[in-house]
Amino acid sequence: MNAPTMDRRTHGERRTSVRGHQRSAMSALDYLAMALLIVGGLNWAMVGLFDVDMVATVFGSGSPATRILYVAVGLAALYSIYTTAKMAGSKRP
């Protein structure tokens, strides 16, 4: 009995999503938001595990650079919420 097989060569590129006939890849803004969220997540892990704020250690506690980075991470989180809601809404028929 010959069972149908799933050949990997028949599947499209995994890094892009197919919407209708149009492919959309991650934009530079998506990659920037992801990088900022990774930095923020790792910083919070260091705070939780070792009580060390690496961002404040590198840029100085309360410095303008530290505050700008914290705001950028927060904006990246808001952008990710927006893109997640947009992706969830586009999959509905």
Side-chain angles (χ1 to χ4, degrees):
M1 184 167 169
N2 291 335
T5 60
M6 297 296 287
D7 189 6
R8 285 185 154 192
R9 291 175 286 175
T10 62
H11 296 290
E13 179 66 35
R14 291 180 181 208
R15 289 179 288 179
T16 60
S17 62
V18 178
R19 293 183 182 144
H21 295 287
Q22 179 183 12
R23 287 182 174 228
S24 63
M26 287 179 60
S27 69
L29 185 59
D30 294 329
Y31 282 110
L32 177 63
M34 185 185 312
L36 286 169
L37 289 173
I38 290 170
V39 167
L42 291 175
N43 189 56
W44 276 109
M46 295 290 288
V47 169
L49 293 172
F50 308 114
D51 199 25
V52 174
D53 185 351
M54 287 304 296
V55 173
T57 301
V58 171
F59 294 111
S61 181
S63 72
T66 300
R67 296 188 64 174
I68 289 170
L69 187 57
Y70 288 151
V71 169
V73 170
L75 291 174
L78 291 173
Y79 176 75
S80 295
I81 291 169
Y82 165 74
T83 55
T84 302
K86 188 170 74 170
M87 286 188 310
S90 68
K91 291 184 180 181
R92 294 182 184 161

